[in-house]
Amino acid sequence: DTGVSQNPRHKITKRGQNVTFRCDPISEHNRLYWYRQTLGQGPEFLTYFQNEAQLEKSRLLSDRFSAERPKGSFSTLEIQRTEQGDSAMYLCASSPVGGQLLTEAFFGQGTRLTVV
Amino acid sequence: AQTVTQSQPEMSVQEAETVTLSCTYDTSESDYYLFWYKQPPSRQMILVIRQEAYKQQNATENRFSVNFQKAAKSFSLKISDSQLGDAAMYFCACDNAGNMLTFGGGTRLMVKP
């Protein structure tokens, strides 16, 4: 296992279409995070899972966004009816933390979404 | 809510010289962690250095060190003996709940040969 893997690396979609991204965390990392990063800005937290449970969601995560992590392994982030404002880099990260202590979060290379 | 501010959008340093990147933060929590992450162009973000707020001693990792001023809520990163490979976006981040990172807007570091 060489790190957090995200697919696809790039996605171009027409406005109104649905898209789905996948994240494969580092094996045995029980926490998985999704962040969104727009050009020239720092990443913004979207949601996180501990094992298969989605424990927190940001207000940035509108009803058009849904994330899942079946069986506590890989995760998917789906955006329905995409809008141009959804264009961004979507970053996934994982960490081995199990309690309140945050250890190092390992990031994937991200999926760059362009909505045209 | 917590906020992280990086007031330097861009910084430039001559190779082998030292540069300091600034970061201020605001949090109501007494127990939190601070981080500096490096994001090279088209590559994933990697952790540079981490500081636990309850530790008074400043963290050091090889050429990277921090100046943590808790009362001033300041967390600057010093890079010594700058190398061409240090060129990247640098993000300061804070975590106080163990649940998520709050990032600053980033500082683009350029290293001149």
Side-chain angles (χ1 to χ4, degrees):
Chain A
D1 192 333
T2 57
V4 178
S5 177
Q6 291 189 246
N7 289 288
R9 293 288 308 281
H10 304 273
K11 178 71 177 178
I12 300 175
T13 190
K14 292 183 177 179
R15 188 176 53 186
Q17 298 294 305
N18 299 342
V19 294
T20 300
F21 312 139
R22 177 178 170 126
C23 172
D24 288 272
I26 294 173
S27 298
E28 300 179 354
H29 277 194
N30 57 359
R31 284 205 172 181
L32 185 148
Y33 310 82
W34 284 100
Y35 289 83
R36 182 175 70 184
Q37 185 179 22
T38 52
L39 203 60
Q41 301 297 317
E44 296 172 293
F45 171 79
L46 292 178
T47 187
Y48 93 94
F49 292 83
Q50 181 155 316
N51 301 313
E52 67 276 9
Q54 188 174 17
L55 296 186
E56 190 158 342
K57 294 167 61 174
S58 163
R59 286 173 293 179
L60 293 175
L61 215 64
S62 74
D63 291 344
R64 296 184 298 105
F65 288 70
S66 62
E68 295 183 343
R69 192 183 182 196
K71 301 180 182 178
S73 56
F74 70 92
S75 176
T76 57
L77 178 67
E78 180 183 17
I79 309 175
Q80 297 181 326
R81 305 181 302 281
T82 52
E83 302 173 355
Q84 287 189 323
D86 296 331
S87 295
M89 177 77 84
Y90 290 84
L91 298 172
C92 177
S94 69
S95 73
V97 65
Q100 289 297 311
L101 180 64
L102 177 71
T103 60
E104 178 179 349
F106 294 82
F107 283 82
Q109 290 188 281
T111 294
R112 181 168 297 284
L113 172 67
T114 303
V115 181
V116 298
Chain B
Q2 51 190 348
T3 59
V4 178
T5 303
Q6 294 178 248
S7 59
Q8 305 154 318
E10 283 190 359
M11 290 287 284
S12 181
V13 63
Q14 202 72 34
E15 194 176 6
E17 297 295 309
T18 295
V19 65
T20 298
L21 307 184
S22 301
C23 173
T24 57
Y25 63 93
D26 191 22
T27 178
S28 57
E29 300 292 327
S30 58
D31 188 19
Y32 53 91
Y33 291 77
L34 297 164
F35 305 84
W36 279 97
Y37 278 88
K38 172 185 177 182
Q39 189 177 41
S42 302
R43 299 188 63 182
Q44 69 252 56
M45 199 168 306
I46 57 174
L47 179 68
V48 174
I49 198 165
R50 174 177 63 192
Q51 175 81 41
E52 292 89 341
Y54 63 86
K55 289 187 177 179
Q56 292 186 339
Q57 187 173 6
N58 289 327
T60 298
E61 288 286 343
N62 301 313
R63 297 183 296 108
F64 299 87
S65 62
V66 299
N67 184 5
F68 175 45
Q69 301 291 326
K70 191 172 184 178
K73 295 186 177 177
S74 170
F75 183 62
S76 61
L77 174 69
K78 185 171 80 171
I79 306 174
S80 304
D81 185 26
S82 297
Q83 300 175 0
L84 295 177
D86 294 334
M89 284 292 292
Y90 285 82
F91 292 98
C92 179
C94 178
D95 167 73
N96 64 4
N99 298 336
M100 66 180 195
L101 292 164
T102 299
F103 287 88
T107 296
R108 181 177 303 280
L109 178 66
M110 295 173 285
V111 182
K112 298 178 180 177

